[in-house]
Amino acid sequence: MLAELINPYYLQVASFILINIILGVSIYITLSTGQLSLANAGFMGIGAYTSALLTLNFDLPIIVGIMAGTLLAGVFGILIGIPTLRLQGVYLAIVTLGFGEVIRVIFVNWESMTKGAVGLSGIPHMGRELLNTVKDLGFDPKVLGLQNNQFVFLAIFLILLAVTVSIIAFFRRQNRSRVGRAFAAIKLDEKAAESMGINITYYKVLAFAQGAMVAGFAGALFAHVLAYISPADFAYHRAVEILIFAVFGGSEVIWGPVFGALFLTVMPEVLRFISEYRYMIYGLIIIIMMAVRPQGLIDVNILNWVKLKTSKRRQKHGTSSQKSM
Amino acid sequence: MKKQLKKFAQFTALSSLLVLSACGGNQAAGDEDGESSGGVVKADIGVISYISGPGAAYGEAITNGLKLALEEINGKGEVKINLVVEDSAGKQDQALTAAQKLMNSENVTGIIGPTLSTEMNVVGPEADLNGVPIMGTSTTAEGIPQIGDYVFRNSLPEALAIPAAIDKAIKKYDAKKVAILYGNDDVFTKSGYDTMKKAAEEKGLEILTTETFQKGQSDYNAQLTKIKGLKPDLILASALYNEGAVIMDQARKMGIDVPFVGGNGFNSPEVINIAGDAANGLIVATPWYGEKEDDKVKEFVSKYEKEYGKKPDQFAAQAYDALYIMAEALKNAGEADRDALRDALAEVKGFNGILGEFSFDEEGDVVMDPTVLIIEGGAFKEFN
């Protein structure tokens, strides 16, 4: 029963959705202080290459590689965040875009380490490694009635789901804390926020570093899910793709980029049946969105409306269930 | 906090429901196919092709070649093949999801594609793990069939093509000193360069200099001036045709008149269109030569031109042969079984297609003699 329901194809798509959601969150964090950063593809690349190289060359466990990649991306985030503090809007976007390209060019030219444009293959695959580990422990997925590949993708999906949910939970908590309020104040008016006693330097760099870490984390996961990376994966296209998640879904609330990533990853798959036209329709949807809802699909108003609806329904259900108890 | 937890639980439940409900749909459909009935083997063959995006021309040629072969094969009635075509948009993640769909939802017996070697690097291990035979028709980089037992290709690898071209050029022009020029930010041209360098070292050529350029560059005077000063006998250029044609144009204008030896990406009639007379003296090795005096080739070219209104290129030709090889293997296997197909594919020897005689070696790589061509007077001619 369970075995028939689990199709690696859908799990694979779901895994990419989850990775894209993490990327969407990464750009949301920097945007929540009003900084438009396009360096996230570069940070993603740093995370991916660091983790891939560590696990390939030093046989480190994947989890160590992922953590190292995340941290290194965060360090780069701080390094980039400090000198670009004075820049705003388009100027910041240009500098960060430039940074992303620099990272890509380094990957291309550092051939002894990264194999240049050919890319790194044979990176340890998260699911397959996990399968080998549980098999060594004497557990066979057949006990659950699962094929090996079903187990591999189910494991990846569940890990990514847990990770994504906890990242979203963390940033939702943060938004309601002092840090989140400071972010929001800086986004609305930097000068006013400063005069209220908010340390702008600290919070802006914090947001930048957090965004970089999350992007690096997503990159490391990407490397271990795909098992092959090349510099072209982290080029300008990726930066724009990440930006579109936030532009499409909306950047006011965290659910905006989450929805954007979900929708924009599912769309090309759902539209598969019209093969060569699917990207045209994809483009058309984005253009219509821009014209009709420039603030993105999901904003505070929508969220409040959804809340109102669900809370009403919940009240009804609530009373009835109390009675039955 | 409690409220939030509840919401997360809802989100989790919802998303997993979404995934599960999506799983239900397609299961039953593919199972019935793939059974042999009345002696004729019926099989679904999946195709992963680069149909949308900047490289869509490759995917189009490949799918056209496959469709043409499909009509003929099904017309003969020895095997009945059903092609399931999926788009990869040239991206690794898309290629992987397409492959997953073909292997798990459509239950195909074998896969043809994907188009790019980078995609094959991702898809190959997965297909091998699932035990689905997969054959690349345009994946020329090193190490592709070595991914696993189930991975094959019928595309002439660079490791065969480039040395063949260099060999003939050395013999003809008595070359001893060469200059190498390559694009270092592209997978094709970079791996082409690696092969070139190896081949040049093996043949004992003196490499005077190695110059690099980037995709989309338009001014190559700096590199070419340096090369001109060193006076090489040959220039080995690993470039795609759009940059390569510009390089040849600027080189000839500068007065460099030595022959160029190109990699697989350089092998396109577009070079002549862009560079004109400057393209004369370009030597490439190719599995496909459309002017060959061979009935099969002539028939294929005329059919293809009638159907699609243009001359077939190597991608169309390789795809065309690939489906014939698949059909041959299916016939020999006698049933639409993945393992049987793999074993039958591995046995293919001396297959006679439009590319010439073709065999797989033990690893599933190509054994065949490439044709070496040279551009003379504005047209590709056989080079002897």
Side-chain angles (χ1 to χ4, degrees):
Chain A
M1 168 66 190
L2 187 64
E4 276 151 30
L5 280 174
I6 297 166
N7 182 330
Y9 166 51
Y10 298 107
L11 292 175
Q12 182 89 64
V13 176
S15 305
F16 286 131
I17 291 173
L18 292 169
I19 290 177
N20 282 341
I21 286 179
I22 301 177
L23 286 170
V25 170
S26 81
I27 196 161
Y28 163 78
I29 301 162
T30 38
L31 276 173
S32 66
T33 57
Q35 304 180 92
L36 173 57
S37 159
L38 294 178
N40 291 38
F43 293 133
M44 186 186 171
I46 293 175
Y49 266 90
T50 310
S51 185
L53 288 171
L54 285 177
T55 47
L56 269 176
N57 295 340
F58 300 105
D59 285 331
L60 289 177
I62 290 177
I63 190 154
V64 178
I66 292 179
M67 284 200 293
T70 311
L71 288 177
L72 194 68
V75 170
F76 270 89
I78 296 172
L79 289 180
I80 300 302
I82 292 172
T84 54
L85 269 176
R86 290 159 178 275
L87 298 174
Q88 273 178 341
V90 171
Y91 303 102
L92 181 65
I94 291 169
V95 168
T96 46
L97 190 63
F99 167 75
E101 276 299 288
V102 168
I103 294 294
R104 187 184 66 83
V105 171
I106 290 175
F107 290 149
V108 167
N109 286 297
W110 195 1
E111 284 180 13
S112 56
M113 195 69 167
T114 62
K115 289 193 193 158
V118 175
L120 293 171
S121 54
I123 301 168
H125 188 275
M126 208 194 288
R128 283 170 222 155
E129 294 287 308
L130 197 70
L131 179 68
N132 290 342
T133 323
V134 286
K135 276 202 168 162
D136 286 345
L137 293 173
F139 172 81
D140 192 347
K142 295 223 169 63
V143 177
L144 292 174
L146 293 174
Q147 298 295 325
N148 280 350
N149 63 341
Q150 286 176 324
F151 175 80
V152 163
F153 287 98
L154 191 64
I156 291 182
F157 172 70
L158 291 177
I159 292 172
L160 289 179
L161 187 66
V163 163
T164 311
V165 167
S166 35
I167 285 179
I168 295 176
F170 175 83
F171 285 106
R172 271 184 46 99
R173 292 283 291 164
Q174 181 178 284
N175 267 358
R176 295 183 179 180
S177 71
R178 204 159 51 103
V179 180
R181 303 285 183 238
F183 282 1
I186 293 171
K187 185 182 186 181
L188 277 177
D189 190 329
E190 230 173 86
K191 296 263 162 26
E194 195 166 22
S195 64
M196 296 292 286
I198 294 172
N199 185 347
I200 297 192
T201 312
Y202 171 74
Y203 283 111
K204 279 177 90 171
V205 175
L206 177 70
F208 215 90
Q210 280 186 338
M213 276 180 76
V214 174
F217 182 62
L221 292 175
F222 178 80
H224 292 290
V225 169
L226 219 54
Y228 170 81
I229 49 173
S230 69
D233 293 335
F234 311 110
Y236 165 75
H237 299 282
R238 179 75 67 179
V240 173
E241 199 181 293
I242 299 172
L243 182 65
I244 290 177
F245 293 152
V247 170
F248 182 85
S251 56
E252 284 183 27
V253 287
I254 197 164
W255 299 113
V258 170
F259 176 78
L262 177 82
F263 187 82
L264 294 176
T265 321
V266 167
M267 225 34 210
E269 287 302 322
V270 174
L271 293 175
R272 246 182 206 293
F273 62 95
I274 42 174
S275 60
E276 54 251 65
Y277 301 107
R278 65 198 175 116
Y279 276 94
M280 276 184 227
I281 292 185
Y282 178 95
L284 205 65
I285 291 172
I286 290 175
I287 292 174
I288 294 172
M289 277 295 304
M290 288 286 156
V292 182
R293 270 189 85 83
Q295 75 272 43
L297 204 57
I298 294 180
D299 63 357
V300 179
N301 290 336
I302 293 254
L303 221 57
N304 284 341
W305 180 77
V306 172
K307 255 180 214 159
L308 203 72
K309 283 266 168 182
T310 48
S311 68
K312 263 185 194 164
R313 211 187 304 157
R314 197 171 293 158
Q315 268 173 1
K316 265 191 217 159
H317 284 279
T319 47
S320 62
S321 65
Q322 261 173 359
K323 266 178 200 166
S324 67
M325 271 164 76
Chain B
M1 187 62 204
K2 226 177 188 175
K3 217 172 164 188
Q4 275 184 21
L5 266 178
K6 219 171 181 178
K7 259 182 215 152
F8 285 125
Q10 279 173 356
F11 174 75
T12 326
L14 200 77
S15 51
S16 46
L17 254 182
L18 254 173
V19 171
L20 287 180
S21 63
C23 298
N26 259 327
Q27 261 324 309
D31 288 337
E32 299 307 313
D33 299 327
E35 295 303 315
S36 50
S37 59
V40 179
V41 185
K42 277 188 189 164
D44 284 341
I45 299 290
V47 178
I48 307 170
S49 191
Y50 192 166
I51 307 177
S52 57
Y58 300 123
E60 197 193 322
I62 289 169
T63 31
N64 286 349
L66 288 173
K67 278 180 199 155
L68 206 59
L70 182 73
E71 263 173 47
E72 294 175 17
I73 291 168
N74 283 348
K76 277 184 199 158
E78 284 175 331
V79 282
K80 193 115 183 93
I81 293 178
N82 177 32
L83 286 183
V84 189
V85 184
E86 292 292 343
D87 175 31
S88 71
K91 294 182 186 156
Q92 290 100 293
D93 46 352
Q94 290 270 323
L96 186 57
T97 49
Q100 293 284 13
K101 184 174 185 204
L102 290 171
M103 291 187 288
N104 300 302
S105 291
E106 311 282 349
N107 288 315
V108 296
T109 313
I111 295 179
I112 292 181
T115 306
L116 306 177
S117 298
T118 48
E119 295 174 327
M120 189 55 129
N121 266 327
V122 174
V123 174
E126 203 50 52
D128 191 52
L129 196 76
N130 287 340
V132 181
I134 183 166
M135 174 156 63
T137 68
S138 54
T139 45
T140 54
E142 231 182 297
I144 296 288
Q146 286 76 17
I147 290 172
D149 288 342
Y150 287 82
V151 186
F152 298 84
R153 69 167 156 208
N154 83 325
S155 47
L156 188 69
E158 284 151 352
L160 268 179
I162 291 173
I166 293 179
D167 239 10
K168 285 211 170 167
I170 294 174
K171 267 183 209 144
K172 173 108 179 192
Y173 300 106
D174 192 26
K176 294 198 173 59
K177 298 178 292 178
V178 294
I180 302 184
L181 186 64
Y182 77 102
N184 72 346
D185 62 345
D186 185 90
V187 193
F188 272 123
T189 52
K190 168 73 171 66
S191 78
Y193 158 71
D194 291 339
T195 322
M196 263 176 195
K197 190 169 161 237
K198 221 169 96 192
E201 278 165 1
E202 271 171 19
K203 314 247 181 278
L205 294 171
E206 184 192 346
I207 300 172
L208 297 170
T209 176
T210 304
E211 298 292 318
T212 62
F213 62 87
Q214 276 80 43
K215 222 185 261 177
Q217 194 171 325
S218 55
D219 178 15
Y220 303 92
N221 281 315
Q223 291 95 325
L224 290 171
T225 312
K226 191 170 171 199
I227 290 175
K228 193 185 175 194
L230 293 164
K231 295 201 177 68
D233 302 328
L234 271 182
I235 296 175
L236 311 182
S238 179
L240 299 179
Y241 69 84
N242 23 9
E243 280 98 22
V246 179
I247 291 174
M248 290 203 72
D249 190 39
Q250 292 182 1
R252 299 298 186 234
K253 277 183 186 145
M254 223 185 230
I256 301 175
D257 51 6
V258 295
F260 276 69
V261 177
N264 283 7
F266 218 144
N267 176 15
S268 164
E270 285 297 310
V271 179
I272 303 169
N273 293 342
I274 299 171
D277 283 343
N280 289 343
L282 172 67
I283 300 161
V284 288
T286 175
W288 165 243
Y289 181 49
E291 315 284 311
K292 213 189 235 170
E293 291 297 318
D294 183 290
D295 291 340
K296 266 190 182 172
V297 174
K298 279 184 181 161
E299 197 194 329
F300 169 66
V301 172
S302 72
K303 261 195 187 170
Y304 191 94
E305 266 192 294
K306 212 176 96 194
E307 194 85 12
Y308 305 108
K310 53 183 155 191
K311 280 197 187 296
D313 58 7
Q314 56 167 333
F315 296 102
Q318 283 172 334
Y320 179 87
D321 259 12
L323 197 62
Y324 264 100
I325 293 171
M326 272 284 181
E328 172 93 11
L330 273 172
K331 198 174 78 187
N332 293 344
E335 55 176 332
D337 177 70
R338 289 171 175 177
D339 291 310
L341 176 63
R342 191 221 87 85
D343 294 338
L345 268 176
E347 307 253 298
V348 169
K349 285 238 149 49
F351 170 81
N352 215 337
I354 53 171
L355 302 179
E357 202 174 286
F358 176 90
S359 305
F360 285 118
D361 67 5
E362 301 99 68
E363 283 171 325
D365 213 341
V366 177
V367 185
M368 68 188 292
D369 289 322
T371 318
V372 179
L373 303 178
I374 185 167
I375 300 181
E376 261 172 13
F380 277 107
K381 296 209 171 88
E382 222 164 323
F383 180 63
N384 290 308

